[in-house]
Amino acid sequence: MRVAVLMMPGQVPLDLVGPLQVLQCADRLSIDIQVRYLGPKAAMQWLGPLTLSGIDPLPEQLPTQDLLLIPGQYRNSLEPLAQQECVAWLKANAHYADTLMTVCSGTLLLADAGLLKGRRCTTHHALIEQLQAKAPQAKVQSDCIFTEDGRYLTSAGISTGIDTMLYWLTRACGHSLALAVAREMVLYLRRSGQEPQLGAWLEGRNHVDERLHRVQDAICAAPSQTWRIETLAAQAAMSERHFRRQFKSLTGMLVGDYIMGLRLQRAKALMTETTWTLARIAEASGFGDERQLRRNWARQEKAPPSVWRRASSQTLRD
């Protein structure tokens, strides 16, 4: 995976370090991630007496990247000439990245580059009005911590960069790796923007009972499998009664509801990634038949599967 980071004067430290910690953890656990740091200056003041160096100059043409990360900046530390250079560079090179991810005021930079026309986006709550003024044709949202619109991931800032990067990792590399990273970083319960996909795999993880984590890992690895309470209780080394109680107490949900949520997310993934019929998707997701899938779908979604599928496909095309 190739990731480029736009390094600009006045950068908010956690906007950079939070998402990078997710990538560093993923790199250590599983995949090879190459991170390249680009900016208008070879070095810059960063945190008090600390400075960052080793920043490559902005290339005339950005090599194709899986992700371009744009951290936010303190508004009283902006350097006008550096801002102008980066805006012009983004206009010419943003399309070379498969995904653009902004943290906090990084979204304003996309607005200045004219890249948010007609797109859903967000930023820090204190900057919402400024974003609306810079991008009047954008669909600015103030009631979420991050948004996804096609190639664009925009977040509200500071710690939400971690949530957004975990979401991107889930989308790019699968829920198993994102789950392993979240647990490694002691982030068992992650927030999702307005996307239930992330929560489906990481919901109910805000506990430290290793026995239940072991059971949840097994279910996440094969949600379509037939899971019996006696099998899960044995894996957790508990009686069935105690297992039911402990699972509900620590995860906030019944075992059956937890499994059903994972199966629904599996069905959603297949609906966006394949052209399979709903009956085939139902069978592959563990529902058995289309009727069972539709019944459980109606418990969580207002729109029927066909409408949801068309809308999701259109978002991906955009």
Side-chain angles (χ1 to χ4, degrees):
M1 305 290 288
R2 295 200 293 180
V3 177
V5 184
L6 185 57
M7 306 289 289
M8 300 180 62
Q11 186 181 79
V12 179
L14 190 56
D15 283 9
L16 172 70
V17 174
L20 286 184
Q21 181 64 32
V22 174
L23 294 179
Q24 189 272 340
C25 189
D27 179 84
R28 190 176 68 254
L29 290 175
S30 177
I31 62 175
D32 179 25
I33 300 180
Q34 300 176 6
V35 181
R36 182 181 180 188
Y37 301 93
L38 311 170
K41 293 186 173 183
M44 65 182 196
Q45 186 178 353
W46 188 62
L47 184 61
L50 298 179
T51 60
L52 295 180
S53 60
I55 302 171
D56 293 335
L58 294 171
E60 184 175 346
Q61 179 176 318
L62 178 68
T64 301
Q65 303 290 313
D66 295 288
L67 175 69
L68 174 59
L69 172 63
I70 306 172
Q73 305 162 269
Y74 292 115
R75 307 316 291 166
N76 60 356
S77 301
L78 302 182
E79 297 185 11
L81 291 180
Q83 293 293 114
Q84 294 171 16
E85 183 178 352
C86 289
V87 167
W89 182 82
L90 278 172
K91 287 181 179 179
N93 288 277
H95 63 281
Y96 291 115
D98 291 340
T99 299
L100 286 89
M101 174 183 158
T102 65
V103 185
C104 194
S105 64
T107 309
L108 299 181
L109 207 65
L110 294 185
D112 288 334
L115 298 173
L116 295 178
K117 182 178 179 180
R119 294 198 175 275
R120 291 187 300 119
C121 57
T122 194
T123 187
H124 190 277
H125 59 83
L127 302 173
I128 289 294
E129 291 185 3
Q130 191 173 346
L131 178 58
Q132 290 171 332
K134 285 177 174 289
Q137 293 179 302
K139 303 172 184 176
V140 179
Q141 295 186 235
S142 60
D143 57 349
C144 59
I145 64 169
F146 72 84
T147 65
E148 178 184 27
D149 191 327
R151 301 188 305 122
Y152 293 79
L153 285 170
T154 60
S155 65
I158 315 297
S159 65
T160 63
I162 299 174
D163 302 283
T164 314
M165 186 60 80
L166 271 174
Y167 177 78
W168 176 80
L169 190 66
T170 303
R171 192 181 67 180
C173 303
H175 67 87
S176 296
L177 178 58
L179 177 60
V181 169
R183 291 189 60 193
E184 177 78 10
M185 294 176 64
V186 199
L187 299 169
Y188 296 126
L189 179 62
R190 301 312 302 142
R191 300 168 293 177
S192 60
Q194 292 184 330
E195 307 293 336
Q197 287 85 352
L198 187 61
W201 299 112
L202 300 180
E203 187 179 5
R205 290 285 188 154
N206 193 23
H207 63 84
V208 293
D209 190 315
E210 190 59 35
R211 297 171 299 173
L212 288 191
H213 280 306
R214 186 167 61 244
V215 169
Q216 289 174 292
D217 287 344
I219 298 172
C220 283
S224 60
Q225 181 176 320
T226 299
W227 293 104
R228 300 186 181 280
I229 289 294
E230 56 266 29
T231 302
L232 298 175
Q235 188 165 353
M238 300 178 186
S239 68
E240 292 181 30
R241 182 181 181 185
H242 182 57
F243 173 72
R244 290 178 187 273
R245 283 181 165 181
Q246 192 76 346
F247 195 96
K248 178 65 166 62
S249 174
L250 295 182
T251 69
M253 66 188 83
L254 299 174
V255 181
D257 291 339
Y258 178 76
I259 295 173
M260 204 57 60
L262 295 179
R263 288 176 176 171
L264 279 172
Q265 184 49 47
R266 173 63 176 157
K268 289 180 178 180
L270 291 174
M271 288 168 65
T272 57
E273 297 168 3
T274 74
T275 57
W276 292 359
T277 64
L278 200 60
R280 184 178 178 184
I281 290 173
E283 183 178 358
S285 304
F287 288 100
D289 58 44
E290 183 177 335
R291 183 175 61 86
Q292 290 296 330
L293 170 56
R294 289 184 179 277
R295 176 182 297 175
N296 285 280
W297 180 280
R299 293 169 57 187
Q300 291 193 10
E301 299 288 341
K302 294 181 179 180
S306 58
V307 174
W308 185 94
R309 192 175 199 176
R310 284 196 298 271
S312 297
S313 298
Q314 181 61 48
T315 297
L316 289 175
R317 286 195 296 269
D318 292 341

